[in-house]
Amino acid sequence: MTNQFVVSSICSAMKHNSISPQFAIKNRFRHRSKRFPKREHWLDWASDKYDKRLIAQIKMVLRVLFLYIPLPMFWAVFDQQGSRWTLQATAMNGDFGFQIQPEQMQIVKPILIVIIIPVATYLVYPLIKKCKLNFTPLKKMTVGMFLGSMAFVAAALVQVQIDKTYQVSPAAGQTQIKLINLGAVPATVQFQPQLQSVDVAPKEETGYMTFETSKLQSLDIISANENKTEHLELLEKQRYTLAFKQGPTRISSTWIEDNITSKPANRECLVRFINNLPFTATVAMDHIRFGKLDPLSVSNYSIIPNAGWPYIISTSTALTYCRVSSKILEYGVAYTISLDDCFASILQVTYFEDILPSTVHMAWQIPQYFLLACAEVLFSVTGLEFSYSQAPSNMKSVLQAGWLLTVAVGNIIVLIVAGVSAIQEQWAEYVLFAALLLVVCIIFAIMASFYTYIDPNEIEAQFSKEEKEEDKKDQDSNEKEVETDSQL
């Protein structure tokens, strides 16, 4: 709808000003023979039907619209701040002393623009002028496009750091195992045959350890004076959690398949429970039901839709009911919560993190927002000012429609590039858009170097003067004819 409106606005504006470029093209084609003299501009072939003032006005508009051709690439980059940059923020830590939502980071750019515009107007531009540098509007727009490209380079650098925090999934021929000690005494786990020995403190966990599946035959759990051997038949490219504890007479353990390998999105987190109580209990987290859990059994993961504040965790049996307020759950984290004890209706729990929280802070997005804010001030504000200064008074709306059309085409470019591109890594896609904008920036700089600035008011005043002189000549001629007729 937006594209149709903008295109129809341009067409209707041309029609309103009663000139058709098609007439000039057809007339030029009819007079393509060498016996007809050439004209300075192809629109001059419309002079047989239209007056020179209107033709000159259309020339002014087309010269500016020609410069608009590379501009959609800037908007293709610029408008991604509300989509890809917000998605990037969902994988970052938003703790500023209070929790910032990913979409709230977009408020940074408007704040920066409010600061940058007066600083640029009253400090930066006057200093450049004092240095006797000719910082023309088209040069400002070129610098704005360059800064937009650098903003996406900064976003790519941030994305590289975020990617480093992601856990690496097991490859073909590999298996990953995490250990959780649910007991009250330390334990040692030995992977056989003599692969690795790991000490696990009470109520603690290890990270995921990677093993070659074919070499992993068994493991021994040693705690206090007890020893338990587990013979293994594990699948490759699979993650497992081994939860165990030292009981009164023996070591109890359970194997859990971990089928979650990517961070939860959209301000969500994942939670599952393991029952470390000596009895079966029904588990709930606010209104989310996890069902009945036998001792050392594990629930499935459930999505917690609004992380960022505590929930009430409760267990119930026929005779007991215990509850506790959870800690503030973080975005993008997968938790295993151990139900450890129930005393005086107070539930005691331990939190284990299967997918770790984001460690890259959202503040690292501020440099890319700063670069993009500077780019918008130099490109968008200056571009509109330049367009209006180079347009005749009766065709400024045509250039406004053309400017909006570049925004629409920019959004289409994003859809095309995202659909055609086979790039899987987000940082590489940022680099791709930065490179495309840099190439377009160079093309625009070359095009701008051939542009000659004009004063539409002065040109229109000249045409008005010529029209008055012609009207005076016609009037004098008519008066002479009347005088001659009266003498006859």
Side-chain angles (χ1 to χ4, degrees):
M1 289 297 292
T2 302
N3 296 8
Q4 294 174 355
F5 172 75
V6 172
V7 173
S8 63
S9 298
I10 296 177
C11 295
S12 63
M14 290 289 193
K15 185 176 180 181
H16 175 72
N17 288 282
S18 57
I19 182 170
S20 173
Q22 294 177 356
F23 177 79
I25 296 172
K26 289 179 180 178
N27 198 27
R28 173 67 182 91
F29 184 77
R30 286 196 298 265
H31 298 82
R32 61 187 182 276
S33 174
K34 292 183 179 180
R35 58 193 181 87
F36 294 103
K38 292 183 178 180
R39 301 189 184 184
E40 184 178 352
H41 193 277
W42 63 272
L43 272 176
D44 291 334
W45 289 95
S47 60
D48 298 345
K49 184 177 180 180
Y50 301 99
D51 64 86
K52 294 181 179 180
R53 177 199 285 264
L54 190 56
I55 293 173
Q57 291 172 338
I58 296 297
K59 286 181 183 179
M60 297 180 212
V61 171
L62 290 181
R63 290 173 71 246
V64 178
L65 288 177
F66 176 72
L67 290 176
Y68 281 4
I69 294 175
L71 303 192
M73 195 62 226
F74 176 84
W75 299 115
V77 169
F78 179 84
D79 287 339
Q80 292 186 56
Q81 61 179 308
S83 54
R84 280 169 171 77
W85 284 14
T86 300
L87 289 175
Q88 184 185 65
T90 61
M92 304 177 75
N93 179 9
D95 185 9
F96 286 83
F98 52 92
Q99 193 67 32
I100 291 291
Q101 309 294 342
E103 60 271 17
Q104 290 174 337
M105 273 301 292
Q106 293 185 52
I107 198 175
V108 172
K109 188 175 70 68
I111 293 173
L112 288 172
I113 287 176
V114 170
I115 297 172
I116 291 171
I117 288 178
V119 170
T121 303
Y122 298 107
L123 181 62
V124 178
Y125 294 160
L127 284 176
I128 293 175
K129 191 175 181 179
K130 283 188 176 181
C131 294
K132 296 182 179 179
L133 297 175
N134 188 20
F135 200 35
T136 62
L138 291 178
K139 289 181 180 178
K140 292 178 184 178
M141 293 176 67
T142 304
V143 174
M145 296 176 79
F146 175 76
L147 291 179
S149 175
M150 292 301 101
F152 261 62
V153 171
L157 294 175
V158 171
Q159 189 64 44
V160 168
Q161 298 304 314
I162 293 173
D163 291 347
K164 290 179 181 178
T165 66
Y166 292 155
Q167 299 185 36
V168 180
S169 299
Q174 294 181 336
T175 300
Q176 291 183 342
I177 299 175
K178 182 176 75 168
L179 305 174
I180 296 179
N181 185 359
L182 299 174
V185 294
T188 300
V189 178
Q190 297 176 345
F191 294 91
Q192 303 297 345
Q194 299 179 351
L195 295 177
Q196 191 173 349
S197 180
V198 181
D199 295 326
V200 189
K203 307 296 182 185
E204 293 292 339
E205 64 179 329
T206 66
Y208 283 99
M209 297 170 287
T210 303
F211 299 92
E212 292 186 29
T213 309
S214 59
K215 293 183 179 180
L216 196 58
Q217 299 176 4
S218 64
L219 59 81
D220 296 323
I221 305 173
I222 304 170
S223 181
N225 297 322
E226 300 293 331
N227 189 332
K228 181 180 181 180
T229 299
E230 296 265 0
H231 296 283
L232 306 178
E233 294 183 1
L234 305 178
L235 301 175
E236 63 180 40
K237 299 182 71 174
Q238 179 64 49
R239 280 180 164 182
Y240 296 90
T241 294
L242 173 60
F244 59 86
K245 70 174 181 178
Q246 170 68 56
T249 58
R250 63 187 180 89
I251 297 175
S252 301
S253 63
T254 184
W255 283 92
I256 311 165
E257 286 191 10
D258 297 333
N259 52 6
I260 301 296
T261 57
S262 59
K263 286 181 175 289
N266 301 324
R267 296 186 297 177
E268 297 172 346
C269 69
L270 295 172
V271 170
R272 68 180 177 184
F273 288 93
I274 182 167
N275 187 3
N276 196 24
L277 299 169
F279 50 82
T280 300
T282 300
V283 183
M285 192 169 184
D286 277 0
H287 61 282
I288 303 173
R289 306 295 178 181
F290 289 83
K292 286 186 177 182
L293 297 181
D294 295 326
L296 274 190
S297 64
V298 183
S299 71
N300 293 324
Y301 282 109
S302 289
I303 295 174
I304 308 301
N306 294 306
W309 57 70
Y311 286 76
I312 299 299
I313 302 173
S314 62
T315 61
S316 60
T317 66
L319 300 176
T320 62
Y321 176 80
C322 294
R323 57 181 288 172
V324 69
S325 180
S326 73
K327 72 174 187 178
I328 295 178
L329 304 178
E330 298 185 57
Y331 304 116
V333 183
Y335 294 96
T336 295
I337 302 177
S338 171
L339 308 172
D340 295 330
D341 196 9
C342 177
F343 180 76
S345 297
I346 302 299
L347 186 63
Q348 295 181 5
V349 298
T350 304
Y351 298 88
F352 302 102
E353 295 173 347
D354 304 325
I355 294 180
L356 300 177
S358 302
T359 56
V360 181
H361 202 276
M362 282 187 193
W364 285 107
Q365 279 195 319
I366 294 178
Q368 66 200 55
Y369 274 109
F370 174 76
L371 288 170
L372 195 64
C374 292
E376 184 177 6
V377 171
L378 286 167
F379 181 87
S380 182
V381 176
T382 306
L384 283 172
E385 181 184 356
F386 163 77
S387 300
Y388 273 55
S389 69
Q390 298 297 292
S393 57
N394 61 338
M395 292 193 183
K396 296 186 186 295
S397 60
V398 178
L399 290 182
Q400 176 67 35
W403 184 268
L404 293 176
L405 182 61
T406 65
V407 179
V409 174
N411 291 328
I412 294 174
I413 290 174
V414 175
L415 295 176
I416 295 173
V417 173
V420 174
S421 174
I423 296 175
Q424 299 296 325
E425 300 292 338
Q426 184 60 64
W427 68 265
E429 187 175 283
Y430 288 148
V431 172
L432 172 63
F433 278 104
L436 289 174
L437 182 56
L438 186 60
V439 171
V440 170
C441 175
I442 295 172
I443 294 172
F444 180 77
I446 295 172
M447 293 171 62
S449 65
F450 291 98
Y451 184 85
T452 303
Y453 291 86
I454 60 172
D455 185 353
N457 295 329
E458 184 178 335
I459 294 174
E460 290 183 344
Q462 180 65 30
F463 276 109
S464 297
K465 182 179 179 181
E466 292 176 358
E467 288 173 358
K468 287 180 180 179
E469 290 176 354
E470 289 180 2
D471 290 342
K472 187 176 180 181
K473 289 180 180 179
D474 291 341
Q475 185 178 358
D476 293 342
S477 176
N478 291 334
E479 288 178 355
K480 287 182 179 179
E481 289 179 0
V482 170
E483 185 178 349
T484 303
D485 291 342
S486 63
Q487 289 177 355
L488 292 174

